Amino acid sequence: MVDKRHDVDRCDCNVIHEEIVNQVKAKMPLEENLYDLAELFKVFGDSTRIKILWALDEAEMCVCDIAVLLNMTQSAISHQLRVLKQARLVKYRKDGKIVFYSLEDDHIKQIFDQGLIHINE
Amino acid sequence: MVDKRHDVDRCDCNVIHEEIVNQVKAKMPLEENLYDLAELFKVFGDSTRIKILWALDEAEMCVCDIAVLLNMTQSAISHQLRVLKQARLVKYRKDGKIVFYSLEDDHIKQIFDQGLIHINE
DNA sequence: TGATTACTTGAATATATGTTCATGTATATG
DNA sequence: CATATACATGAACATATATTCAAGTAATCA
């Protein structure tokens, strides 16, 4: 019987290192969890959103204040706040026509700090 | 004299909350640092790269082994390894024709774990 | 030396994403 | 009730990015 694993180009390494590859495969988290993790980091992977989160870590703020702070249009900020809302990173409360946003999660700053450690190594 | 700050659409909030906005502005990290931080998270924001990093945290591996592990082409993996190399997240050593990659940074896993805390809250 | 292996690289392609612009909605105000 | 304010939203646009394909390089081996 011929080995029919044609899905990807294999090489001799795969035979030699078969055991190691299998061990790593066994220890890998679920595909779904790694996908979710990548989605979370994708949200952090934009400087506008990083700035918004950093600002909200200092104080609850309304949309137009964030816009002025970052020197961007309200529309652009609003679009990004929607992304942050969907990722459950920010929450909001309405006070008349004003919408105040704040952080939903306490340890966002901790994730940032870990990232800064890498940058400043 | 008229206020000439036409750069973004301003609203009454900006006057009312002026002090808070200024305080937050004063505490914000340098634009450059936040940009670098976003760039780092951008690298983490792809499930292929997350998987590669997670695998390399378990064991040093060559390109074709990673390709088989993730069921992707060597070319695709090689392209992503270049991104990870540029971000100083992985390093490599050559042994004949085989190139072994490993993690450059010890606390990548810590950043991932922080992210998983948010996901599994 | 010629062929094969392991990997890299550049161009092409499809897809995703951030901002702008125009418009829509909800609340406050005169 | 008409107008203004604060914000949200959809479409359009430009840009970025992940993978594929084809070709190229360096090391090994017959």
Side-chain angles (χ1 to χ4, degrees), chain B residues 98-113:
Chain B
I98 305 174
V99 181
F100 288 97
Y101 281 86
S102 59
L103 292 192
E104 169 110 34
D105 198 313
D106 290 336
H107 48 270
I108 292 170
K109 191 73 171 297
Q110 292 173 34
I111 298 176
F112 287 3
D113 289 336

Side-chain angles (χ1 to χ4, degrees), chain B residues 33-93:
Chain B
N33 290 336
L34 293 177
Y35 183 82
D36 289 344
L37 193 57
E39 288 301 302
L40 176 66
F41 286 130
K42 202 174 285 180
V43 176
F44 292 147
D46 176 82
S47 54
T48 299
R49 288 192 293 264
I50 287 267
K51 287 177 199 166
I52 293 174
L53 292 171
W54 206 284
L56 294 181
D57 186 65
E58 293 294 336
E60 177 189 65
M61 291 176 83
C62 68
V63 180
C64 66
D65 283 340
I66 300 172
V68 168
L69 177 69
L70 305 187
N71 197 38
M72 292 177 66
T73 64
Q74 281 189 28
S75 178
I77 299 299
S78 184
H79 277 297
Q80 295 300 355
L81 283 169
R82 190 167 54 86
V83 175
L84 294 171
K85 227 186 306 176
Q86 285 171 346
R88 301 185 354 271
L89 292 169
V90 301
K91 60 185 182 219
Y92 65 95
R93 70 177 175 88

